[in-house]
Amino acid sequence: MSHITLSPATNTPSDEFLERIAWMAVGVNILLIALNTVLGLLSGSIAVGAEAVHNLVDMLGSVGVVVGLRLSRKKNSAFPYGLYKVENIVALLIALLILLAGYEIIKEAVFAPPAPVEISLSLMLGVLLTLIIPVFFGLYTVRVGQRGNSPSLMAIGQEFRMHALTSGAVLLGLAGQAMGWQLDRWAGLFVVLFILQTSWELSRDAMRALLDASLDGETLHKVRTILSEDPLTVQVKSVIGRNAGRYRFIEAQITLRTHDLDKAAKAYDRMENGIRQAVPHVERVMLHTLPTVANQQICAIPITSEGDLVADCFCHAASFQLAVMDRTAGKVDSISIHPNPFLEMEHGKGIQLGRWLVKSHVDLVLTRQDLEGKGLSYVLSDAGVEVHKTHHNNLNEALAEVCSLLVTAAKTA
């Protein structure tokens, strides 16, 4: 088998490699057509002849996949979003071809009159070969299709694996014929059940993509987690996504804790890169920013061990008071006290503390210490957290100052 060529950015098979595998499928089908045709003519077996027709249907499907892979990468003014869904259309056509192959087997198994078949060792070995080749090539094609998220290649692989069952039914029927048992008709009917199942699964998946069905819940949850964990994210309103061919399109509505366009652009880049690393085959990520909901804000104040004074040193504060404040009414809605989780840390305390405050969705930090030029200040600034320096030592007076600041900001907004 050919070595899988990976795209360096996504660690997935390249489009050129996927197309090469599709051409290999065409070649394998031509080989099987020739082999089954010769075996059918020499033996007079109707079942083997039907297998040759089955291989011809598969070959037409493989040619369609090559066309689909090429068209899916093209973009023009008429189709600015690309022709990705061509692959799903091809997968649907292959499902119909599989259904046609099932019909051929039913017709041969039920309605064909009995006919003498010349059983020989070479015939049995030939049919066995037509069973082995599809099994190994089908497994390989499905693996490549899964790595490349190509529905048409996975359809080819599944068809090859299903074809091994039909060859097995033919082999069983020939063995029964050699012993005087008429098993080939029953074996054919048994294989038809697998044919119909494969056809249904392929057509179902293709129709879901053509009708823009949602991405699976696990993928959407993964995207939502990446978006919500960004320091600038206040809220993830919605996340939707769809498949088109082997590519994924993701769209989300988020609220950011900043009005700075440069910071917002950097946040978008972080989120998009994180999504592309976690979710393969993402073609486009569209992030829409919603207006910031500013009715409430969370203010963090460093406090002493006594709990009623503002600590002089922010990083060495015993605890932090997180006050949920109504900025329009200028009042405190609720207060919670949290011990400083990094009090005993010797190095990097400020950066870790800043990250903890950002994850706690803090909007405003009140401090008696000048934080300019410190690691803590950079973390808070990047996350859009405001820092206000106060001269008040008394905690109640500091809270009153924050309330006044919020009311003033709300009136001028």
Side-chain angles (χ1 to χ4, degrees):
M1 293 298 177
S2 177
H3 177 68
I4 298 180
T5 304
L6 300 179
S7 300
T10 59
N11 198 36
T12 58
S14 63
D15 291 335
E16 293 76 13
F17 182 79
L18 295 178
E19 186 175 321
R20 190 158 67 246
I21 296 299
W23 278 118
M24 288 175 60
V26 174
V28 171
N29 274 312
I30 291 176
L31 173 63
L32 293 174
I33 290 171
L35 187 58
N36 278 316
T37 300
V38 171
L39 292 174
L41 292 175
L42 293 177
S43 66
S45 170
I46 297 176
V48 175
E51 278 295 270
V53 176
H54 187 189
N55 292 133
L56 177 61
V57 173
D58 293 346
M59 187 196 71
L60 295 176
S62 299
V63 173
V65 168
V66 174
V67 175
L69 286 171
R70 287 199 171 186
L71 289 178
S72 69
R73 299 197 299 267
K74 295 184 179 297
K75 296 179 182 179
N76 53 45
S77 58
F79 299 95
Y81 293 99
L83 296 171
Y84 303 108
K85 290 188 178 181
V86 169
E87 279 201 68
N88 298 112
I89 296 175
V90 171
L92 183 60
L93 293 176
I94 292 176
L96 296 177
L97 292 176
I98 294 175
L99 187 62
L100 176 62
Y103 167 75
E104 291 295 329
I105 296 176
I106 291 176
K107 186 172 67 174
E108 292 294 331
V110 177
F111 301 108
V117 179
E118 295 184 11
I119 307 298
S120 64
L121 179 61
S122 59
L123 174 63
M124 301 298 287
L125 292 176
V127 174
L128 180 62
L129 185 61
T130 65
L131 185 153
I132 294 174
I133 292 175
V135 167
F136 285 98
F137 187 76
L139 290 173
Y140 176 71
T141 305
V142 168
R143 183 170 67 91
V144 173
Q146 290 173 340
R147 291 286 300 276
N149 197 32
S150 172
S152 50
L153 272 186
M154 286 187 282
I156 285 181
Q158 290 174 2
E159 163 61 10
F160 268 113
R161 292 193 299 182
M162 184 275 296
H163 182 81
L165 291 176
T166 63
S167 296
V170 172
L171 187 63
L172 183 62
L174 292 175
Q177 190 85 11
M179 292 182 289
W181 301 338
Q182 299 297 322
L183 296 179
D184 54 334
R185 296 177 183 270
W186 294 105
L189 292 175
F190 175 75
V191 172
V192 166
L193 296 177
F194 293 91
I195 294 175
L196 296 178
Q197 179 185 6
T198 302
S199 178
W200 161 251
E201 290 176 352
L202 292 177
S203 58
R204 177 197 61 194
D205 294 342
M207 288 302 299
R208 281 180 58 84
L210 291 174
L211 296 176
D212 287 335
S214 173
L215 291 177
D216 60 281
E218 182 181 352
T219 299
L220 293 179
H221 176 73
K222 189 180 299 183
V223 172
R224 179 179 287 273
T225 300
I226 293 171
L227 296 176
S228 61
E229 288 181 348
D230 190 88
L232 277 186
T233 300
V234 176
Q235 181 186 23
V236 179
K237 181 69 173 179
S238 67
V239 178
I240 59 176
R242 62 182 177 87
N243 280 312
R246 63 183 180 278
Y247 298 98
R248 293 180 170 102
F249 293 76
I250 296 171
E251 187 173 352
Q253 292 182 326
I254 58 177
T255 302
L256 296 182
R257 190 191 289 107
T258 184
H259 297 288
D260 189 305
L261 295 181
D262 290 337
K263 290 183 178 180
K266 290 179 180 179
Y268 289 155
D269 289 340
R270 285 196 304 269
M271 296 178 196
E272 181 174 351
N273 291 335
I275 291 172
R276 291 185 182 277
Q277 290 177 7
V279 181
H281 316 296
V282 173
E283 171 66 12
R284 186 174 293 114
V285 177
M286 297 182 64
L287 301 177
H288 305 282
T289 304
L290 298 174
T292 303
V293 180
N295 290 335
Q296 287 187 329
Q297 288 195 336
I298 299 178
C299 177
I301 305 176
I303 57 178
T304 61
S305 56
E306 291 79 9
D308 59 349
L309 298 176
V310 180
D312 293 329
C313 181
F314 194 92
C315 293
H316 289 86
S319 305
F320 290 91
Q321 183 186 87
L322 300 187
V324 179
M325 315 185 78
D326 188 328
R327 62 177 300 184
T328 55
K331 65 183 183 67
V332 178
D333 288 338
S334 63
I335 289 177
S336 59
I337 306 297
H338 303 268
N340 186 345
F342 307 102
L343 185 60
E344 304 300 328
M345 182 178 290
E346 295 183 4
H347 303 288
K349 182 185 303 185
I351 294 177
Q352 294 298 327
L353 188 56
R355 292 173 179 171
W356 175 73
L357 291 171
V358 170
K359 288 184 178 180
S360 300
H361 304 290
V362 169
D363 302 290
L364 173 66
V365 163
L366 198 67
T367 174
R368 288 172 52 83
Q369 179 187 9
D370 187 1
L371 301 179
E372 189 68 28
K374 299 182 181 297
L376 171 62
S377 177
Y378 292 125
V379 173
L380 297 177
S381 177
D382 286 340
V385 178
E386 297 182 27
V387 177
H388 179 72
K389 187 176 180 181
T390 181
H391 297 289
H392 291 291
N393 191 335
N394 183 275
L395 183 57
N396 291 330
E397 294 176 355
L399 280 173
E401 181 182 2
V402 173
C403 290
S404 178
L405 288 172
L406 294 179
V407 171
T408 302
K411 290 180 178 179
T412 57

